[in-house]
Every structure is written in C-alpha cells, then in structure tokens.
Amino acid sequence: MIKYITKRLMMGILVLFGTSILIFTIARVVPGDVATIALGSRATEAAKEALRREMNLYDPLPMQYVKWLSSALSGNFGNSFVTKRPVAMDVAQFLPATLELVIVSGIFMVAGTFVLGILAGKYKNTWADGLIRVLSYIGVALPAFVAGILLLLLFGYKLQAIPVLGRLSASLTAPGKITGFYVTDALLRGQFKVAWDAFLHLLLPALSLAIGPMVQDARILRSSLVDNSAKEYMAVSTGHGLPPNLLIRKYLLKPSATSAVTTMGMDFASLLGNAFLVEQIFNWPGISRYGINAMLFKDLNAICAVVLIIGITFFFVNLVVDLIVAALDPRMRKGGGK
C-alpha cells in the first residue's frame, strides 16, 4: 500500500511540475509586452520598467521560471495588476467561498449519484429507470451555467423561495472567520440563523454545479450494478434467498462503485473550474469568479495562481480517489504497486 501511495504521489508531483511550466510559459510568451498588457498602454515608461524588473523579464526564460517557482512555493505569486494587492492575499479571501460551494455541491453529487444509481439498477427497465435515463441525457446537454440560470429564474424570481445572490443576506453580518466557510463558522459560533441563511444561499449554485455530473454518474453506477448482477456469485447469493436490499448493500454495491467513484472524483475536481460562470451568475465572491476577472483584465500573476490552485485540487482529489478505489478493489492496489 505504501508503494502504491508513493507511486501516485510521484506521478502527481510530476503533473503539477509540468502544469507550472505550462502556465508560466503561456503567461510569459503572450504576444506583446507583458508590462504593457499588465499596466495598460497609458502607463508611464518608468512604471513599465519597474514592473519588468519586478517580474525578472530581462532574465532568460528558464531563470525567470526558477525565480517564479521559488516564490510560488513560498506562497508569493506577486501582486495582482487589478486589485493592487498580493495575489496570495486575494486567494486567502476568495478561495474559502469557492471551496465551501464545491464541497456542498460534491455532497449533493455523491448522494444523488448513489440514490439515483441504486434505484435505476434495482428497478432496471422500469419507469424509474427510464426517468433516470432521461434525466441523464438532459444532464449531458445542460451546462452548469444554464442550470444555474433556470434555477435562479424559477426559485429566486418566480417563486421567490430561496435567496439567489451572494453568500449572505444584507441584513445579516458575516460570522467571524475560523475556517472561511460561512455555514461552519456560524455553527461554531452558535449563530444558527446566520448558518441557515448561508446554507440557503449555497443551495442553488451548489445544485447548478451538481445536477449534470450527478445524473451522468448515476448512469455509470447503474450500468455497473446491472453488469455485476448478472455474474455467477450474484446468482449463487440470490439462490440462497438473501433479501434484495442485502444483496445490493453487501455484495453488489462495493465492486460496482469503482468506476462511478473514479468518475465522481474527476467531476468533483472539475467543479472548481466549472464554477467560473456559476459564481458570476449568483454573484458568488469566490476564486473562480476572481479567475474570470483576472482573465478579462489579463492579470497574469492572478491567472497563474488560479490555474495552479485548480491543478493542485486535481492532484489531491486524484490521490484520494485512488485510495478509495484501492480500498474498494484490492486488485487496483496490487496493479498500481508494480
């Protein structure tokens, strides 16, 4: 197991190293003068020269990368050209909001996948299976931002049942920062009204992100359940008269969940990137929305930081998924250790 984990860690580190080289190179070789892009054509030549020296633009590109990577590893991504603050300070401010959104969305996705997948597998070729199949087709064709707009129009404006903008109602004060997650911080401080309001604000953007991958992953789980239910060991277990629910829970679900867990892991990591437009729609002050603004204003330091954060997220999610899959199927662990 240790050999398996070590191999996955080394592969992940190599991928992150390659990602850092790629995003740095793209940020440095964009057409035009980097200082002019960052400060605008109206900036004085003295300001542009100072920025060129600050970003080590006169050094050879490999040396620029070494200096940038050294600073990035210490948490220094330089200053944002838009907010005029250190990028690390911006990340510390905006990242918790996106992480809270992604975690809640991931919970919805995982719970919905198993509920819908098990229902479709248990009642295959029935109306329930057909309905879930139709939902999966819709989920494939429905981008997260479209789902967000539909949910916003329905629940936010038509029914006016759920708050739709921001993280908290204007009449309430944000809880003191402990984790940066409003719901968690409010609960820890005993501010239950604030916690409930923050959770309601999370509902629609989290569902917007979760709906698509949830119904698609449910179909994957359903297919695995149906395939494994036709195998000999299931026929023997069924012949012994075991209840259907026990068969699914004890003998069928574990081997069938491997492919679905792998896909859900990738979908969970993708939520951070998919949140760009959803955060814009719901006025959610997160790192993804910050990344969009960085791209629009060509804020190169901020872009590098955001892309690297997404890469690190994929790395850790990949590692966790590999460990879960290895626990579900020891054959994967043995194969990965070769």
Side-chain angles (χ1 to χ4, degrees), residues 8 13 27 34 67 86 119-120 144 172 186 191 193 210-211 224 291:
R8 290 296 183 266
I13 291 172
V34 172
K67 291 181 178 180
L119 282 176
L172 298 175
Q191 300 173 342
K193 182 179 180 180
I211 288 174
S224 297

Side-chain angles (χ1 to χ4, degrees), residues 100-109 151 199 201-213 271 278 282 284:
E100 184 178 37
L101 174 60
V102 166
I103 290 172
V104 173
S105 180
I107 292 172
F108 289 160
M109 181 183 68
L151 290 174
F199 176 73
H201 279 79
L202 271 168
L203 272 179
L204 293 185
L207 282 173
S208 302
L209 287 173
I211 288 174
L271 292 177
V278 171
F282 290 97
W284 192 263

Side-chain angles (χ1 to χ4, degrees), residues 30-110:
V30 290
D33 178 32
V34 172
T36 303
I37 292 173
L39 299 178
S41 57
R42 295 185 178 181
T44 63
E45 189 59 35
K48 294 178 184 179
E49 183 67 18
L51 182 61
R52 293 188 192 104
R53 295 189 178 281
E54 179 186 336
M55 298 179 69
N56 305 303
L57 296 180
Y58 291 115
D59 294 335
L61 193 61
M63 184 59 67
Q64 291 183 41
Y65 170 74
V66 171
K67 291 181 178 180
W68 174 82
L69 183 62
S70 177
S71 297
L73 290 175
S74 64
N76 179 17
F77 292 96
N79 293 326
S80 167
F81 306 145
V82 177
T83 65
K84 309 302 180 185
R85 301 189 306 173
V87 173
M89 186 181 295
D90 290 339
V91 170
Q93 177 181 344
F94 297 117
L95 183 58
T98 297
L99 288 180
E100 184 178 37
L101 174 60
V102 166
I103 290 172
V104 173
S105 180
I107 292 172
F108 289 160
M109 181 183 68
V110 172

Side-chain angles (χ1 to χ4, degrees), residues 280-292:
Q280 201 76 7
I281 291 168
F282 290 97
N283 197 29
W284 192 263
I287 195 71
S288 295
R289 184 181 173 195
Y290 173 76
I292 277 192

